[in-house]
Amino acid sequence: MEALKLELKENIIEQLNLEDMTVADIGDDDMLFGDGLGLDSIDALELIVMLDKNYGIKLTDPKEGRHIFESVNTMAAYITEHRSK
Amino acid sequence: MKNVYINSVGSVSAQNTTDDSDFLKDIISYNETTITAINPNYKDFIPPAAARRMAKGIKMGIVASKLALQKAGLESVDAIITGTGMGCLHDSEKFLSAIIDNNEEYLTPTPFIQSTHNTVGGQIALEIQCKGYNFTYVHGSNSFESALLDAKLQLELDEANNILIGGVDELADHTIVLNKIIHHIKEEPVESSKILDSKTKGAVFSEGANFFVVSNKKKASSLAQIEALEIYNTLTIDSVENQARQFLKENHINPSNVDALILGNNGDVEFDTFYHKLATGDFKNTQQFVYKPWTGEFNTVSSFGLLLAANILKIQNTPEPFKLNNTNTSHYKTILLYNQYRGENHSFTLLRTC
């Protein structure tokens, strides 16, 4: 699980071009949207594609995403349970 | 009809133009086949959250725009008109490569959104909150001139008072490879000062952004007046000189009354012949300048030519390495610019002191 969280943080930084951030800047429980990292709706689309491409998870219900993308912890938990890659 | 003035310029180029307090005093010489523009500190101009999605072309465009606005003492304008030959190449390549690499799946939105030609104009509008007329012209090496012509017409007819216009193009890896294959980029690196004697095919490619606030209201800081502009899709070598004469005649000027001629020679042995026609004909006794050996070639680099002309008229001083001949002029009142790329999309622009 810890390795997956680290991988997720690295991918988030790379995919979303968070140039000034390092993995140390993203806490496992930090909110990714809103007051936390401040990601926006375009970032949400990038994360949906990342889940599909890297872990074989297709999100069809947008409401589902709201919970899954809360933090690195919630993402890692969902991926662990649903991944096909 | 109202007169049209260049009230300010902002530039990101392969030379030190971002800070122009000493306009082109220290010229940088290159020995490359492609030259990248010097990066300003983008964080001084663009919030990091917005900049993270922007490729270099967009960032250069925003910095050049903001510099032009600052110098004009404006926070916004009535219209934004952009010229770009190739648009946001970096993101276009990224998006198209992703389609191929991922077998048409997993396409991410950012490079797609940012890859359209009007992204630069749109992002500038968002940055300065300008909800006015916003148009992008894409027409090879006439892209910038098309933007300038649009602005000129609007200002002359008093449909707008202050317009931000500019030319922007960026380099991208795959496009460089393609242009090398078809010999549009020179095969061997050439030193800037020797490009015009290189006798080889192709040009040294580059990138940059030059933006201007043009206005129908003259200010103390105005650099020059844009007298006339004419663009031509095609001209034969033999007709160039006559066309220049005709253009000047329509504006009641004899070739001998032109104080300086700014040419777009880029060292391509196949197409610099167009410039030679003017340089050795009616204008052989006129002071001549070139800029592309020092800026490289891109579709909207003629915007740098306009920047050079406007500055010469304002400060009455010329950067020595840009001189093409030994004719000297003591006072510059009228400057003619001629540009074309690979024998197509020709333009004449006439500037006066104001």
Side-chain angles (χ1 to χ4, degrees):
Chain A
M1 187 69 112
E2 290 308 310
L4 176 59
K5 287 179 194 171
L6 181 66
E7 182 183 291
L8 278 173
K9 289 175 188 176
E10 286 170 348
N11 284 338
I12 287 170
I13 289 168
E14 190 194 330
Q15 297 287 328
L16 308 183
N17 295 318
L18 303 172
E19 291 167 351
D20 295 332
M21 296 199 95
T22 65
V23 289
D25 297 326
I26 307 175
D28 292 353
D29 279 321
D30 285 354
M31 296 282 283
L32 296 179
F33 293 83
D35 293 336
L37 258 64
L39 303 185
D40 59 23
S41 57
I42 296 172
D43 295 314
L45 285 170
E46 295 276 355
L47 292 177
I48 288 169
V49 174
M50 188 177 87
L51 282 194
D52 191 3
K53 186 180 173 185
N54 294 359
Y55 307 105
I57 297 170
K58 285 190 191 298
L59 290 185
T60 47
D61 182 4
K63 285 177 191 163
E64 236 184 342
R66 198 169 289 178
H67 170 65
I68 297 164
F69 296 133
E70 254 177 37
S71 67
V72 170
N73 265 344
T74 55
M75 280 184 78
Y78 189 85
I79 290 167
T80 305
E81 199 177 326
H82 295 88
R83 69 188 300 170
S84 61
K85 282 191 194 175
Chain B
M1 287 207 301
K2 295 203 163 192
N3 291 334
V4 178
Y5 304 96
I6 298 173
N7 280 358
S8 66
V9 302
S11 170
V12 177
S13 75
Q15 296 295 327
N16 290 313
T17 45
T18 305
D19 172 20
D20 66 352
S21 52
D22 252 336
F23 175 66
L24 293 171
K25 195 178 176 191
D26 297 315
I27 307 292
I28 301 166
S29 183
Y30 293 92
N31 192 359
E32 310 282 351
T33 54
T34 57
I35 307 171
T36 54
I38 298 168
N39 285 314
N41 189 3
Y42 292 114
K43 286 177 186 167
D44 293 345
F45 299 89
I46 311 167
R52 71 189 169 99
R53 291 204 185 101
M54 295 176 184
K56 190 173 179 181
I58 303 171
K59 290 195 275 193
M60 291 191 298
I62 290 176
V63 171
S65 300
K66 287 195 169 177
L67 285 169
L69 286 170
Q70 273 172 22
K71 290 175 194 170
L74 296 171
E75 288 191 353
S76 195
V77 282
D78 303 319
I80 298 169
I81 311 176
T82 314
T84 179
M86 299 299 285
C88 297
L89 268 182
H90 181 79
D91 279 315
S92 298
E93 286 190 3
K94 202 170 168 183
F95 180 69
L96 293 171
S97 298
I99 291 177
I100 296 165
D101 295 345
N102 299 323
N103 201 23
E104 298 187 22
E105 287 186 281
Y106 314 124
L107 300 177
T108 54
T110 304
F112 174 64
I113 295 166
Q114 304 285 71
S115 66
T116 59
H117 284 76
N118 56 6
T119 305
V120 180
Q123 290 289 347
I124 293 168
L126 285 170
E127 278 291 312
I128 65 171
Q129 290 296 303
C130 173
K131 297 179 177 67
Y133 178 93
N134 194 312
F135 211 92
T136 299
Y137 287 89
V138 181
H139 196 134
S141 58
N142 266 343
S143 304
F144 171 70
E145 283 73 13
S146 302
L148 180 58
L149 182 59
D150 185 348
K152 186 172 178 291
L153 291 170
Q154 291 196 45
L155 293 167
E156 283 175 345
L157 297 172
D158 211 14
E159 290 176 7
N161 296 129
N162 292 298
I163 299 180
L164 182 68
I165 62 151
V168 56
D169 274 293
E170 66 180 1
L171 284 171
D173 293 343
H174 189 63
T175 310
I176 290 173
V177 171
L178 294 177
N179 278 288
K180 281 187 175 170
I181 291 169
I182 58 175
H183 306 296
H184 287 192
I185 294 180
K186 285 191 182 297
E187 277 183 33
E188 300 294 332
V190 196
E191 215 175 291
S192 301
S193 60
K194 294 175 181 157
I195 283 178
L196 299 190
D197 303 319
S198 62
K199 308 267 189 293
T200 54
K201 286 184 184 180
V204 172
F205 269 28
S206 184
E207 58 185 1
N210 300 291
F211 276 75
F212 307 77
V213 170
V214 288
S215 174
N216 51 19
K217 295 188 189 312
K218 187 181 166 186
K219 295 170 77 174
S221 57
S222 298
L223 289 97
Q225 182 183 332
I226 301 168
E227 185 76 16
L229 167 67
E230 197 76 49
I231 56 181
Y232 315 85
N233 191 222
T234 52
L235 284 180
T236 61
I237 289 186
D238 293 333
S239 68
V240 166
E241 197 174 12
N242 198 35
Q243 204 67 54
R245 264 182 228 140
Q246 186 65 31
F247 171 73
L248 291 174
K249 191 178 173 187
E250 284 166 11
N251 291 285
H252 317 293
I253 294 173
N254 289 320
S256 58
N257 295 129
V258 173
D259 301 309
L261 175 68
I262 297 183
L263 297 166
N265 304 45
N266 61 15
D268 186 333
V269 71
E270 286 186 292
F271 298 101
D272 272 2
T273 42
F274 282 87
Y275 299 113
H276 298 159
K277 276 282 177 186
L278 288 190
T280 58
D282 283 354
F283 301 95
K284 63 178 184 292
N285 296 320
T286 306
Q287 169 109 56
Q288 297 164 14
F289 295 97
V290 287
Y291 52 94
K292 291 181 185 175
W294 310 97
T295 61
E297 174 70 82
F298 53 94
N299 281 144
T300 48
V301 71
S302 51
S303 57
F304 188 96
L306 189 74
L307 176 152
L308 178 66
N311 273 288
I312 290 172
L313 289 170
K314 179 69 177 174
I315 62 179
Q316 294 291 318
N317 196 6
T318 56
E320 199 64 29
F322 286 59
K323 289 181 179 173
L324 183 64
N325 61 1
N326 292 322
T327 306
N328 279 312
T329 305
S330 56
H331 188 72
Y332 300 94
K333 283 182 288 189
T334 305
I335 295 182
L336 175 67
L337 294 106
Y338 168 56
N339 186 62
Q340 54 84 19
Y341 177 60
R342 298 189 65 79
E344 291 182 341
N345 297 319
H346 307 251
S347 63
F348 291 111
T349 309
L350 190 65
L351 259 60
R352 277 186 205 267
T353 46
C354 62

